[in-house]
Amino acid sequence: MRFVSTRGKAVASLAQALRQGVAPDGGLYLPEFVPAADLSQLGGDQGLPEFAAAMLAPFFAGDRLAGQLDAICGEAFDFPALLVRPDVSAPGLHALELFHGPTGAFKDFGARFLLGCFDRQDERLTILAATSGDTGGAVGCAAEGRQGVCAVILYPKGRVSPFQKLQLGCWGPPVQAIEVDGDFDACQALVKAAFADPALSRTHGLTSANSINIGRLLPQMAYLGRAALQLHEATGKAPGLIVPTGNLGHGFAALYARAMGLPIGPILLATNANATLADWAATGAYRPRPSVPTLANAMDVGAPSNFERLAALAPGRGPLDVMLVDDDSIRARIRRDFAASGRIWCPHSAIAAEAFARLDPALRDERPWIACATAHPYKFAEIVEPLVGVKVTPPPALAAILDREASAIPIGADLGELAVALAPGAIRIGEAA
């Protein structure tokens, strides 16, 4: 399998696409064709590592990483993605709980998969990752203590929750957090500018762990495909998917899994008040704009990078809708569902639950639906607890870091300042735990 840039000027193997993150022409890598999933080799009763290895095999075909795929999946998928019914009064709704990993967010799957691939490269790499909240924590956790890779995490000052800030800056070498005086889009622009600077990129061996890297999307396709197949086997119907999305990586992964032939029905992308995708769905015009802060801060993206991939897949993407859920609706959904069933959503997962509630009843009742529950509510306790009136208990993995200290290097949204921060001796990325 070869991978081609969305801008048509670059071709790479899988290992090269993972290593580069962004194509040399500035585009994002996609497989040169959409491989058909071999449903005879896939079953909803398979363990997640086995399912992922079978589903993702076509992407690794002919690549030097192909012989490592089973081991990579075994490392990345060593915690569950649980499909549960959050409310017995809504039998058609299933929640795909993606927060049982070490940092309590769905980004754990992609980060651990990508770091497993990087561990099997032949050079020392520096991951440069922009984060709106959850990606950085997952990458930092996955990178801590590794020998062959460093991780530098850029996050927007004042735009992450208190726990997220701890989770971004608490990891030991070779991980370093950088606090950027700007929003997520400014962090993302800095990462892209660094990749586009040949000297900077070459000196530090830069690569990406954001969803601009195809290696982040592959594992997301796998757990979404398996959940859909589980419900299809149980009901005979292709379930609908409701995917909270900001930078559009998770949403694109759902679209791609369906394009491969997994039994997935309608896909509803649920966004917060950042209206770029909702406006595009309504008008057909894509107009990126500065992001606005919301309760669902990990989705605060005004210029979603993966729209470039969506546009490339668009001719065959099938039914797709986008629903915008504002902060007042997030609060109301958290209160309402806790009162009705005792279920506590994080703000991002509440967006998916609210989107399900807004579906036309006929559409809602014609098939089962899967709402992606993307983060543990404890990560947003300062938002959730006043709404539900109870304390949220941290799972063991999150409780384990509460006594750690966090640190970050403050910089402006300026490539020169980032270059200084990356200079040898400025930060601890050259060390190993």
Side-chain angles (χ1 to χ4, degrees):
M1 172 72 79
R2 299 191 310 166
F3 291 75
V4 297
S5 168
T6 49
R7 301 183 187 180
K9 297 179 181 179
V11 179
S13 67
L14 174 62
Q16 291 168 337
L18 295 173
R19 162 65 183 84
Q20 293 171 13
V22 177
D25 62 3
L28 305 183
Y29 282 116
L30 279 174
E32 61 182 337
F33 62 90
V34 179
D38 185 355
L39 297 182
S40 69
Q41 300 298 313
L42 300 174
D45 59 348
Q46 287 175 293
L48 187 51
E50 294 74 25
F51 184 95
M55 180 178 168
L56 300 180
F59 300 96
F60 282 72
D63 193 83
R64 62 186 179 83
L65 290 174
Q68 302 291 325
L69 179 58
D70 287 348
I72 291 168
C73 290
E75 295 170 12
F77 296 100
D78 64 345
F79 51 90
L82 300 179
L83 195 59
V84 303
R85 287 186 172 172
D87 185 351
V88 295
S89 67
L93 175 63
H94 299 74
L96 180 59
E97 293 183 343
L98 300 170
F99 49 72
H100 295 290
T103 70
F106 78 99
K107 306 291 180 71
D108 282 320
F109 291 105
R112 291 163 69 84
F113 184 90
L114 188 58
L115 267 292
C117 293
F118 286 159
D119 260 357
R120 292 160 173 84
Q121 301 278 29
D122 297 327
E123 62 178 312
R124 186 171 178 82
L125 303 174
T126 296
I127 296 171
L128 197 59
T131 184
S132 52
D134 287 333
T135 291
V139 170
C141 178
E144 186 180 50
R146 293 185 187 257
Q147 300 292 322
V149 65
C150 307
V152 180
I153 302 162
L154 282 66
Y155 69 89
K157 181 179 179 180
R159 295 287 196 101
V160 300
S161 75
F163 185 81
Q164 284 176 316
K165 186 172 182 178
L166 168 65
Q167 209 169 38
L168 291 166
C170 74
W171 309 111
V175 183
Q176 179 64 59
I178 295 181
E179 185 180 59
V180 178
D181 190 6
D183 60 13
F184 168 76
D185 296 314
C187 296
Q188 187 165 250
L190 271 183
V191 169
K192 290 183 177 180
F195 290 147
D197 185 313
L200 194 62
S201 184
R202 182 174 57 253
T203 297
H204 298 287
L206 296 182
T207 190
S208 168
N210 288 89
S211 60
I212 55 179
N213 194 312
I214 189 68
R216 274 279 307 280
L217 306 185
L218 295 175
Q220 294 173 352
M221 297 176 200
Y223 62 64
L224 292 171
R226 177 173 173 264
L229 194 58
Q230 285 178 321
L231 277 188
H232 183 260
E233 290 174 351
T235 67
K237 297 179 180 179
L241 288 185
I242 305 174
V243 186
T245 195
N247 207 30
L248 199 48
H250 212 187
F252 181 81
L255 292 165
Y256 206 94
R258 183 174 65 185
M260 290 179 66
L262 273 298
I264 297 172
I267 295 173
L268 175 59
L269 304 183
T271 76
N272 60 19
N274 287 275
T276 301
L277 291 176
D279 288 350
W280 163 75
T283 67
Y286 175 68
R287 298 188 182 94
R289 75 283 310 262
S291 64
V292 297
T294 75
L295 297 178
N297 67 338
M299 295 161 56
D300 289 350
V301 182
S305 291
N306 283 288
F307 188 83
E308 194 161 335
R309 285 190 171 111
L310 178 63
L313 187 68
R317 71 174 191 248
L320 173 65
D321 290 300
V322 179
M323 184 178 293
L324 186 150
V325 178
D326 62 19
D327 280 359
D328 287 343
S329 298
I330 292 172
R331 293 187 185 96
R333 179 52 52 189
I334 292 172
R335 291 192 190 101
R336 187 177 296 121
D337 284 5
F338 177 72
S341 67
R343 180 77 187 197
I344 303 178
W345 301 112
C346 86
H348 312 77
S349 308
I351 288 177
E354 174 65 15
F356 174 79
R358 292 184 189 178
L359 287 173
D360 180 274
L363 181 62
R364 195 169 57 216
D365 295 341
E366 73 179 9
R367 66 181 70 244
W369 285 83
I370 299 172
C372 292
T374 56
H376 194 281
Y378 180 79
K379 299 185 73 168
F380 306 91
E382 73 285 350
I383 295 171
V384 171
E385 289 179 350
L387 298 174
V388 300
V390 299
K391 298 289 287 184
V392 180
T393 302
L398 301 187
I401 68 167
L402 292 177
D403 293 332
R404 290 196 180 199
E405 294 185 2
S407 64
I409 295 175
I411 68 169
D414 177 81
L415 183 60
E417 292 191 42
L418 177 60
V420 171
L422 289 172
I427 55 179
R428 55 185 178 175
I429 61 173
E431 304 174 29

